[in-house]
């Protein structure tokens, strides 16, 4: 009540980061929206909050391109180079090396955490070797980064945390949908995997399934 009274007197932008593990407390966010007319909330979450008045902006990976005009490389390449120079400040990045980094970025779909983890392997591998390993498996991305949060320690940890937020029915559906390669249609989800629309929508809202512009799911 004290928090809501204080916020009700203010005009401000309130940033709430990583709300997916607090979705059961979304009522507080709803109360702020209802009682603090001057407050706007910017929230990040792997799981949709499903509140009235919520506007969704889906975040994909960073910009990826195998070729680019001019001298400025895509954002994903720039991030990898920046992370690489933390562990190998002596490493030079010519045009060929940057193209290899762009292919690495494409393999991990521009995911910032994956790019950071891949760059740490430059202590032991060449850029070409990192690309080759990622082309075969994602084992390099399971490296534990001893940061402040275990949920972000590696790509496997990110997935495991998202998995832990699912109910048994949704876990069973995701297992069944893993049979598809190259995506699937809504009809195929129902006919092959016995996944109905409400469960499919829940997996989309949990950021574990994506729907592309053609209407197919991955």
């Amino acid at each position: 009540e004290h928090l809501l009274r204080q916020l009700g007197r203010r005009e401000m932008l309130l940033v709430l980061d990583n709300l997916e593990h607090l979705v059961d407390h979304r009522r507080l966010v709803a109360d702020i929206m209802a009682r603090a007319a001057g407050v706007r909330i910017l929230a990040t979450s792997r799981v949709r909050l499903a509140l009235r008045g919520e506007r969704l902006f889906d975040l994909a990976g960073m910009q990826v391109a195998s070729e680019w005009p001019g001298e400025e490389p895509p954002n994903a390449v720039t991030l990898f180079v920046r992370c690489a120079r933390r562990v190998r400040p002596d490493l030079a990045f010519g045009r060929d090396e940057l193209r290899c980094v762009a292919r690495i970025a494409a393999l991990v779909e521009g995911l910032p955490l994956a790019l950071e983890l891949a760059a740490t392997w430059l202590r032991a591998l060449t850029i070409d070797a990192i690309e080759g390993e990622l082309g075969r498996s994602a084992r390099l991305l399971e490296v534990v980064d001893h940061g402040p949060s275990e949920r972000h320690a590696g790509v496997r940890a990110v997935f495991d945390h998202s998995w832990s937020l699912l109910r048994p029915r949704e876990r069973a559906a995701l297992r069944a949908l893993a049979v598809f390669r190259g995506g699937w249609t809504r009809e195929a989800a129902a006919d092959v995997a016995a996944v109905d629309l409400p469960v499919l929508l829940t997996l989309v809202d949990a950021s574990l399934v994506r729907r592309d512009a053609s209407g197919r799911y991955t």
Side-chain angles (χ1 to χ4, degrees):
E1 283 299 317
H2 177 69
L3 173 67
L4 292 172
R5 283 197 302 270
Q6 292 296 319
L7 290 178
R9 301 169 187 163
R10 298 172 185 247
E11 290 188 3
M12 63 186 294
L13 174 66
L14 178 61
V15 180
L16 303 173
D17 194 21
N18 286 326
L19 278 187
E20 65 273 355
H21 62 299
L22 298 174
V23 289
D24 290 338
H25 303 296
R26 71 186 78 188
R27 184 66 203 173
L28 175 61
V29 180
D31 288 343
I32 294 172
M33 293 170 64
R35 294 176 55 178
V39 174
R40 293 291 177 268
I41 298 173
L42 175 62
T44 68
S45 176
R46 292 181 218 160
V47 180
R48 182 187 170 197
L49 299 183
L51 296 174
R52 181 172 294 178
E54 178 182 30
R55 298 182 184 181
L56 297 179
F57 182 82
D58 288 325
L59 289 176
M62 300 178 74
Q63 177 191 3
V64 175
S66 57
E67 296 290 340
W68 55 90
E71 296 298 319
E72 191 66 30
N75 294 336
V77 173
T78 301
L79 175 63
F80 183 96
V81 171
R82 188 181 305 153
C83 295
R85 286 182 172 146
R86 292 181 197 151
V87 296
R88 286 286 308 276
D90 61 316
L91 201 59
F93 285 89
R95 194 73 181 182
D96 289 341
E97 287 78 16
L98 291 176
R99 288 195 187 99
C100 186
V101 172
R103 293 192 294 271
I104 290 172
L107 284 170
V108 301
E109 299 185 356
L111 186 66
L113 177 61
L115 289 165
E116 290 185 53
L117 291 170
T120 63
W121 277 97
L122 285 169
R123 292 174 297 171
L125 299 173
T126 64
I127 298 175
D128 289 345
I130 292 173
E131 179 190 355
E133 287 292 328
L134 288 174
R136 288 185 286 273
S137 78
R139 286 186 307 135
L140 294 189
L141 307 181
E142 296 178 13
V143 179
V144 175
D145 178 10
H146 299 287
S149 171
E150 290 185 6
R151 293 181 292 114
H152 302 126
V155 172
R156 179 57 183 261
V158 170
F159 176 80
D160 285 346
H161 179 65
S162 293
W163 177 265
S164 73
L165 300 175
L166 297 178
R167 292 170 294 191
R169 183 185 179 195
E170 294 150 5
R171 293 182 185 183
L174 195 58
R175 287 192 190 98
L177 292 170
V179 71
F180 292 108
R181 293 293 181 268
W184 65 88
T185 63
R186 175 170 63 88
E187 293 78 11
D191 295 342
V192 176
V195 175
D196 59 20
L197 270 177
V199 174
L200 191 59
L201 178 60
T202 299
L203 294 174
V204 171
D205 285 344
S207 304
L208 289 166
V209 168
R210 284 183 302 194
R211 182 176 180 270
D212 63 24
S214 70
R216 289 177 64 81
Y217 298 87
T218 56

